[in-house]
């Protein structure tokens, strides 16, 4: 898909990676970028059109789809992370919140905008996932499960969307240098770098992007011995 002349909707676009996607799409020639956030007043990027969206609210998704019939690119970026033990008494509540935001919300958005994308020639969807789609670390069980679900749903949607000429790009990375990743150890990828890679991958028609060496290593470990997702042996 060509970015030049496209009309994009980016969720979670008020800061971090979402704001970087909005900036990057404008720089790549998108004719309009709708920047979605729970509070549109929190979107301060010049050149975008702020819109209200909480991805956990189906009625807001439906209303936005009725308004934005010109969209040709949907960027499912909004996400949350709550790191805690799965044995924590509040783990199920945290799991529910992460699934609603990281897996169910993006699915609802694709369902709502698929007819719009089809009517506008096919277009594309970008799903922002994570290296933790394939790996868990201490405390990441709920987040990893939500991203793994998002990955599986995206793989299924890619096959279904093919019939209407809509592409789906899954973006996986390790820690991104944003507020969400600020306290995490290790090297971090700049959000601008990730966006540039995602735009290039989309324009090349790729189905999946592994954005950094850590993600490549973990992905390769899915078929290694021992499997990377088993974790360290005691």
């Amino acid at each position: 898909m060509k970015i030049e002349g496209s009309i994009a909707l980016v969720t979670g676009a008020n800061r971090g990676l979402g704001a970087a996607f909005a900036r990057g799409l404008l720089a790549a020639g998108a004719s309009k970028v709708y920047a979605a956030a729970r509070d549109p007043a929190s979107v301060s990027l010049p050149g975008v059109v702020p819109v209200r969206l909480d991805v956990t609210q189906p009625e807001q998704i439906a209303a936005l789809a009725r308004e934005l019939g010109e969209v040709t690119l949907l960027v499912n970026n909004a996400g949350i992370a709550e790191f805690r033990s799965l044995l924590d008494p509040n783990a199920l509540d945290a799991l529910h919140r992460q699934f609603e935001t990281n897996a169910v919300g993006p699915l609802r958005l694709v369902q709502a905008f698929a007819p719009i994308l089809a009517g506008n020639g096919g277009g594309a969807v970008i799903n922002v996932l994570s290296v933790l789609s394939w790996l868990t670390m201490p405390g990441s069980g709920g987040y990893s499960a939500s991203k793994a679900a998002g990955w599986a749903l995206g793989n299924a949607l890619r096959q279904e969307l093919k019939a209407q000429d809509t592409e789906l790009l899954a973006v996986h990375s390790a820690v991104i240098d944003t507020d969400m990743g600020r306290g995490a150890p290790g090297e971090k990828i700049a959000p601008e770098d990730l966006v540039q890679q995602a735009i290039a991958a989309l324009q090349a028609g790729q189905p999946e992007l592994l954005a950094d060496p850590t993600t490549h290593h973990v992905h390769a470990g899915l078929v290694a011995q021992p499997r990377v997702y088993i974790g360290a042996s005691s």
Side-chain angles (χ1 to χ4, degrees), residues 5-195:
S6 65
I7 298 175
L9 168 63
V10 182
T11 68
N14 56 322
R15 63 191 180 99
L17 184 59
F21 259 111
R23 288 192 299 270
L25 290 168
L26 287 173
S31 62
K32 185 182 291 186
V33 174
Y34 291 102
R38 287 190 179 97
D39 177 10
S42 65
V43 177
S44 58
L45 180 64
V48 304
V49 181
V51 292
R52 184 182 304 279
L53 179 63
D54 180 340
V55 301
T56 69
Q57 301 300 313
E59 68 280 1
Q60 289 191 21
I61 293 174
L64 202 59
R66 289 192 295 269
E67 283 181 43
L68 308 185
E70 56 189 337
V71 166
T72 60
L73 172 61
L74 168 64
V75 182
N76 277 320
N77 165 76
I80 62 170
E82 298 186 40
F83 291 94
R84 67 179 72 207
S85 168
L86 289 175
L87 301 179
D88 186 291
N90 297 315
L92 287 177
D93 290 337
L95 182 68
H96 183 267
R97 287 189 292 269
Q98 290 173 103
F99 261 78
E100 282 295 310
T101 303
N102 300 342
V104 178
L107 173 58
R108 286 189 175 122
L109 277 152
V110 174
Q111 289 175 333
F113 279 89
I116 294 169
L117 296 174
N120 293 329
V125 176
I126 296 178
N127 281 347
V128 176
L129 298 171
S130 171
V131 68
L132 295 181
S133 305
W134 307 311
L135 178 70
T136 56
M137 300 186 303
S140 80
Y143 178 77
S144 295
S146 70
K147 287 298 187 178
W151 178 51
L153 290 168
N155 289 338
L157 284 167
R158 185 183 295 111
Q159 299 174 56
E160 296 188 29
L161 291 169
K162 189 178 296 185
Q164 63 175 52
D165 294 324
T166 299
E167 303 171 42
L168 189 147
L169 170 67
V171 174
H172 297 266
S173 74
V175 184
I176 306 170
D177 192 10
T178 62
D179 290 344
M180 184 181 289
R182 183 161 295 161
E187 292 188 12
K188 299 177 177 66
I189 185 172
E192 294 78 12
D193 182 12
L194 180 57
V195 168

Side-chain angles (χ1 to χ4, degrees), residues 134-138 218 221-234:
W134 307 311
L135 178 70
T136 56
M137 300 186 303
V218 169
L222 293 174
V223 294
Q225 290 292 347
R227 306 289 195 235
V228 68
Y229 51 83
I230 297 299
S233 59
S234 57

